[in-house]
Amino acid sequence: MSSVPESKDELLTAINSIYPKLMDDYRCIPASMARKCKIEGNIKGTQISVCDTVAYLIGWGNLVLKWYRLKSQGVPVDFPDTGYRWNQLGLLAVSFHDQYRDWKYEDLLRKLDSTIKELILLVDSLSNEELYEKTWYEQWTLGRMIQFNTSSPMKNMRTKVRRFNKSNGLR
């Protein structure tokens, strides 16, 4: 398999192989440490918490689901989100952190789990043709847009979370 999924099966494999490992990494972090800002943020020079990394993944997962829902209904979509341009992704990340600022760590993990399950169901419900054989947004296929916002950031966050765990003597 190439590092970039090129089919429905490869996309499902990419998500299903990284996600459980990431959840294992999250689950060994006690809630008492989950709000410590010790992880490199999405804006250069910033530090974010473990909870913020979860919020980031939830935020992007929900955006993908929203894009799909709106486009399926023939409604125009503000990519990446209303009030943000593609060159403002750091600010969009901060908006996800803010949105989930008051959530308990366990609740965030449950929300991430349900979001990822919903995305997997979406991918499962679509054909390879719908996912990879036609452009969906600008030059990108729907499968690629899903991968950009699920398995890719999960890999990136897993690296950061593992670094956090190691530096804090967890696992």
Side-chain angles (χ1 to χ4, degrees), residues 42-43 56 84 89-99 101:
N42 295 82
I43 296 175
Y56 178 86
Y84 297 92
L89 298 184
L91 295 173
L92 184 55
V94 170
S95 79
F96 298 147
H97 306 162
D98 290 344
Q99 186 180 351
R101 175 87 49 235

PDB file of all heavy atoms in Angstrom, residues 42-43 56 84 89-99 101:
ATOM      1  N   ASN A  42      -0.461  24.188  16.382  1.00  0.00           N
ATOM      2  CA  ASN A  42      -0.553  24.348  14.927  1.00  0.00           C
ATOM      3  C   ASN A  42      -0.077  25.728  14.467  1.00  0.00           C
ATOM      4  O   ASN A  42       0.152  25.934  13.294  1.00  0.00           O
ATOM      5  CB  ASN A  42      -1.994  24.130  14.461  1.00  0.00           C
ATOM      6  CG  ASN A  42      -2.432  22.702  14.715  1.00  0.00           C
ATOM      7  OD1 ASN A  42      -2.820  22.359  15.823  1.00  0.00           O
ATOM      8  ND2 ASN A  42      -2.325  21.861  13.706  1.00  0.00           N
ATOM      9  N   ILE A  43       0.022  26.659  15.391  1.00  0.00           N
ATOM     10  CA  ILE A  43       0.589  27.970  15.081  1.00  0.00           C
ATOM     11  C   ILE A  43       1.995  27.968  15.659  1.00  0.00           C
ATOM     12  O   ILE A  43       2.190  27.625  16.834  1.00  0.00           O
ATOM     13  CB  ILE A  43      -0.264  29.115  15.678  1.00  0.00           C
ATOM     14  CG1 ILE A  43      -1.661  29.119  15.035  1.00  0.00           C
ATOM     15  CG2 ILE A  43       0.430  30.457  15.492  1.00  0.00           C
ATOM     16  CD1 ILE A  43      -2.628  30.131  15.628  1.00  0.00           C
ATOM     17  N   TYR A  56      -8.958  19.158  17.996  1.00  0.00           N
ATOM     18  CA  TYR A  56      -8.533  19.393  16.614  1.00  0.00           C
ATOM     19  C   TYR A  56      -9.045  18.273  15.701  1.00  0.00           C
ATOM     20  O   TYR A  56      -9.616  18.531  14.638  1.00  0.00           O
ATOM     21  CB  TYR A  56      -7.003  19.470  16.582  1.00  0.00           C
ATOM     22  CG  TYR A  56      -6.401  19.663  15.221  1.00  0.00           C
ATOM     23  CD1 TYR A  56      -6.247  20.937  14.686  1.00  0.00           C
ATOM     24  CD2 TYR A  56      -5.949  18.575  14.468  1.00  0.00           C
ATOM     25  CE1 TYR A  56      -5.667  21.125  13.429  1.00  0.00           C
ATOM     26  CE2 TYR A  56      -5.378  18.750  13.217  1.00  0.00           C
ATOM     27  CZ  TYR A  56      -5.237  20.035  12.711  1.00  0.00           C
ATOM     28  OH  TYR A  56      -4.662  20.211  11.470  1.00  0.00           O
ATOM     29  N   TYR A  84     -13.208  31.340   7.500  1.00  0.00           N
ATOM     30  CA  TYR A  84     -11.796  30.940   7.419  1.00  0.00           C
ATOM     31  C   TYR A  84     -11.409  30.648   5.984  1.00  0.00           C
ATOM     32  O   TYR A  84     -12.199  30.121   5.212  1.00  0.00           O
ATOM     33  CB  TYR A  84     -11.523  29.684   8.270  1.00  0.00           C
ATOM     34  CG  TYR A  84     -11.756  29.912   9.734  1.00  0.00           C
ATOM     35  CD1 TYR A  84     -12.999  29.645  10.300  1.00  0.00           C
ATOM     36  CD2 TYR A  84     -10.750  30.425  10.548  1.00  0.00           C
ATOM     37  CE1 TYR A  84     -13.230  29.884  11.656  1.00  0.00           C
ATOM     38  CE2 TYR A  84     -10.977  30.653  11.899  1.00  0.00           C
ATOM     39  CZ  TYR A  84     -12.220  30.383  12.445  1.00  0.00           C
ATOM     40  OH  TYR A  84     -12.440  30.611  13.779  1.00  0.00           O
ATOM     41  N   LEU A  89      -5.520  28.107   8.661  1.00  0.00           N
ATOM     42  CA  LEU A  89      -5.810  26.844   9.345  1.00  0.00           C
ATOM     43  C   LEU A  89      -5.372  26.854  10.803  1.00  0.00           C
ATOM     44  O   LEU A  89      -5.983  26.185  11.636  1.00  0.00           O
ATOM     45  CB  LEU A  89      -5.198  25.668   8.587  1.00  0.00           C
ATOM     46  CG  LEU A  89      -5.748  25.467   7.168  1.00  0.00           C
ATOM     47  CD1 LEU A  89      -5.151  24.217   6.541  1.00  0.00           C
ATOM     48  CD2 LEU A  89      -7.266  25.396   7.158  1.00  0.00           C
ATOM     49  N   GLY A  90      -4.343  27.636  11.128  1.00  0.00           N
ATOM     50  CA  GLY A  90      -3.933  27.758  12.534  1.00  0.00           C
ATOM     51  C   GLY A  90      -5.046  28.377  13.368  1.00  0.00           C
ATOM     52  O   GLY A  90      -5.346  27.920  14.473  1.00  0.00           O
ATOM     53  N   LEU A  91      -5.674  29.413  12.808  1.00  0.00           N
ATOM     54  CA  LEU A  91      -6.795  30.062  13.506  1.00  0.00           C
ATOM     55  C   LEU A  91      -7.994  29.126  13.604  1.00  0.00           C
ATOM     56  O   LEU A  91      -8.698  29.112  14.620  1.00  0.00           O
ATOM     57  CB  LEU A  91      -7.198  31.351  12.781  1.00  0.00           C
ATOM     58  CG  LEU A  91      -6.161  32.470  12.769  1.00  0.00           C
ATOM     59  CD1 LEU A  91      -6.612  33.623  11.876  1.00  0.00           C
ATOM     60  CD2 LEU A  91      -5.890  32.960  14.191  1.00  0.00           C
ATOM     61  N   LEU A  92      -8.228  28.354  12.564  1.00  0.00           N
ATOM     62  CA  LEU A  92      -9.316  27.382  12.591  1.00  0.00           C
ATOM     63  C   LEU A  92      -9.049  26.340  13.686  1.00  0.00           C
ATOM     64  O   LEU A  92      -9.957  25.981  14.448  1.00  0.00           O
ATOM     65  CB  LEU A  92      -9.474  26.713  11.217  1.00  0.00           C
ATOM     66  CG  LEU A  92     -10.629  25.728  11.054  1.00  0.00           C
ATOM     67  CD1 LEU A  92     -11.975  26.340  11.428  1.00  0.00           C
ATOM     68  CD2 LEU A  92     -10.668  25.203   9.619  1.00  0.00           C
ATOM     69  N   ALA A  93      -7.808  25.904  13.806  1.00  0.00           N
ATOM     70  CA  ALA A  93      -7.434  24.951  14.864  1.00  0.00           C
ATOM     71  C   ALA A  93      -7.743  25.547  16.240  1.00  0.00           C
ATOM     72  O   ALA A  93      -8.315  24.874  17.101  1.00  0.00           O
ATOM     73  CB  ALA A  93      -5.953  24.586  14.762  1.00  0.00           C
ATOM     74  N   VAL A  94      -7.389  26.810  16.430  1.00  0.00           N
ATOM     75  CA  VAL A  94      -7.658  27.480  17.707  1.00  0.00           C
ATOM     76  C   VAL A  94      -9.167  27.526  17.974  1.00  0.00           C
ATOM     77  O   VAL A  94      -9.606  27.345  19.116  1.00  0.00           O
ATOM     78  CB  VAL A  94      -7.029  28.898  17.739  1.00  0.00           C
ATOM     79  CG1 VAL A  94      -7.498  29.682  18.959  1.00  0.00           C
ATOM     80  CG2 VAL A  94      -5.506  28.790  17.725  1.00  0.00           C
ATOM     81  N   SER A  95      -9.966  27.712  16.919  1.00  0.00           N
ATOM     82  CA  SER A  95     -11.423  27.732  17.115  1.00  0.00           C
ATOM     83  C   SER A  95     -11.929  26.362  17.591  1.00  0.00           C
ATOM     84  O   SER A  95     -12.861  26.292  18.387  1.00  0.00           O
ATOM     85  CB  SER A  95     -12.150  28.175  15.838  1.00  0.00           C
ATOM     86  OG  SER A  95     -12.243  27.121  14.898  1.00  0.00           O
ATOM     87  N   PHE A  96     -11.301  25.277  17.109  1.00  0.00           N
ATOM     88  CA  PHE A  96     -11.669  23.937  17.593  1.00  0.00           C
ATOM     89  C   PHE A  96     -11.299  23.800  19.077  1.00  0.00           C
ATOM     90  O   PHE A  96     -12.078  23.275  19.871  1.00  0.00           O
ATOM     91  CB  PHE A  96     -10.966  22.832  16.800  1.00  0.00           C
ATOM     92  CG  PHE A  96     -11.296  22.773  15.338  1.00  0.00           C
ATOM     93  CD1 PHE A  96     -10.329  22.363  14.421  1.00  0.00           C
ATOM     94  CD2 PHE A  96     -12.548  23.112  14.852  1.00  0.00           C
ATOM     95  CE1 PHE A  96     -10.615  22.287  13.067  1.00  0.00           C
ATOM     96  CE2 PHE A  96     -12.845  23.037  13.491  1.00  0.00           C
ATOM     97  CZ  PHE A  96     -11.866  22.625  12.599  1.00  0.00           C
ATOM     98  N   HIS A  97     -10.105  24.277  19.449  1.00  0.00           N
ATOM     99  CA  HIS A  97      -9.674  24.210  20.852  1.00  0.00           C
ATOM    100  C   HIS A  97     -10.675  24.965  21.726  1.00  0.00           C
ATOM    101  O   HIS A  97     -11.077  24.472  22.784  1.00  0.00           O
ATOM    102  CB  HIS A  97      -8.277  24.809  21.049  1.00  0.00           C
ATOM    103  CG  HIS A  97      -7.222  24.226  20.173  1.00  0.00           C
ATOM    104  ND1 HIS A  97      -6.024  24.869  19.940  1.00  0.00           N
ATOM    105  CD2 HIS A  97      -7.162  23.075  19.447  1.00  0.00           C
ATOM    106  CE1 HIS A  97      -5.285  24.128  19.122  1.00  0.00           C
ATOM    107  NE2 HIS A  97      -5.953  23.038  18.815  1.00  0.00           N
ATOM    108  N   ASP A  98     -11.066  26.162  21.259  1.00  0.00           N
ATOM    109  CA  ASP A  98     -12.003  26.991  22.025  1.00  0.00           C
ATOM    110  C   ASP A  98     -13.367  26.316  22.156  1.00  0.00           C
ATOM    111  O   ASP A  98     -13.994  26.364  23.213  1.00  0.00           O
ATOM    112  CB  ASP A  98     -12.171  28.369  21.380  1.00  0.00           C
ATOM    113  CG  ASP A  98     -10.919  29.236  21.512  1.00  0.00           C
ATOM    114  OD1 ASP A  98     -10.041  28.903  22.343  1.00  0.00           O
ATOM    115  OD2 ASP A  98     -10.815  30.233  20.777  1.00  0.00           O
ATOM    116  N   GLN A  99     -13.815  25.714  21.068  1.00  0.00           N
ATOM    117  CA  GLN A  99     -15.134  25.075  21.047  1.00  0.00           C
ATOM    118  C   GLN A  99     -15.245  23.975  22.110  1.00  0.00           C
ATOM    119  O   GLN A  99     -16.303  23.776  22.700  1.00  0.00           O
ATOM    120  CB  GLN A  99     -15.378  24.494  19.659  1.00  0.00           C
ATOM    121  CG  GLN A  99     -16.755  23.917  19.445  1.00  0.00           C
ATOM    122  CD  GLN A  99     -16.903  23.357  18.025  1.00  0.00           C
ATOM    123  OE1 GLN A  99     -16.061  23.540  17.153  1.00  0.00           O
ATOM    124  NE2 GLN A  99     -18.003  22.651  17.805  1.00  0.00           N
ATOM    125  N   ARG A 101     -13.106  23.701  24.831  1.00  0.00           N
ATOM    126  CA  ARG A 101     -12.297  24.136  25.976  1.00  0.00           C
ATOM    127  C   ARG A 101     -12.815  23.595  27.309  1.00  0.00           C
ATOM    128  O   ARG A 101     -12.047  23.234  28.191  1.00  0.00           O
ATOM    129  CB  ARG A 101     -12.256  25.677  25.999  1.00  0.00           C
ATOM    130  CG  ARG A 101     -11.582  26.321  27.167  1.00  0.00           C
ATOM    131  CD  ARG A 101     -10.093  26.542  27.074  1.00  0.00           C
ATOM    132  NE  ARG A 101      -9.623  27.159  25.862  1.00  0.00           N
ATOM    133  CZ  ARG A 101      -8.678  26.630  25.049  1.00  0.00           C
ATOM    134  NH1 ARG A 101      -8.144  25.463  25.336  1.00  0.00           N
ATOM    135  NH2 ARG A 101      -8.275  27.255  23.981  1.00  0.00           N
TER     136      ARG A 101
END
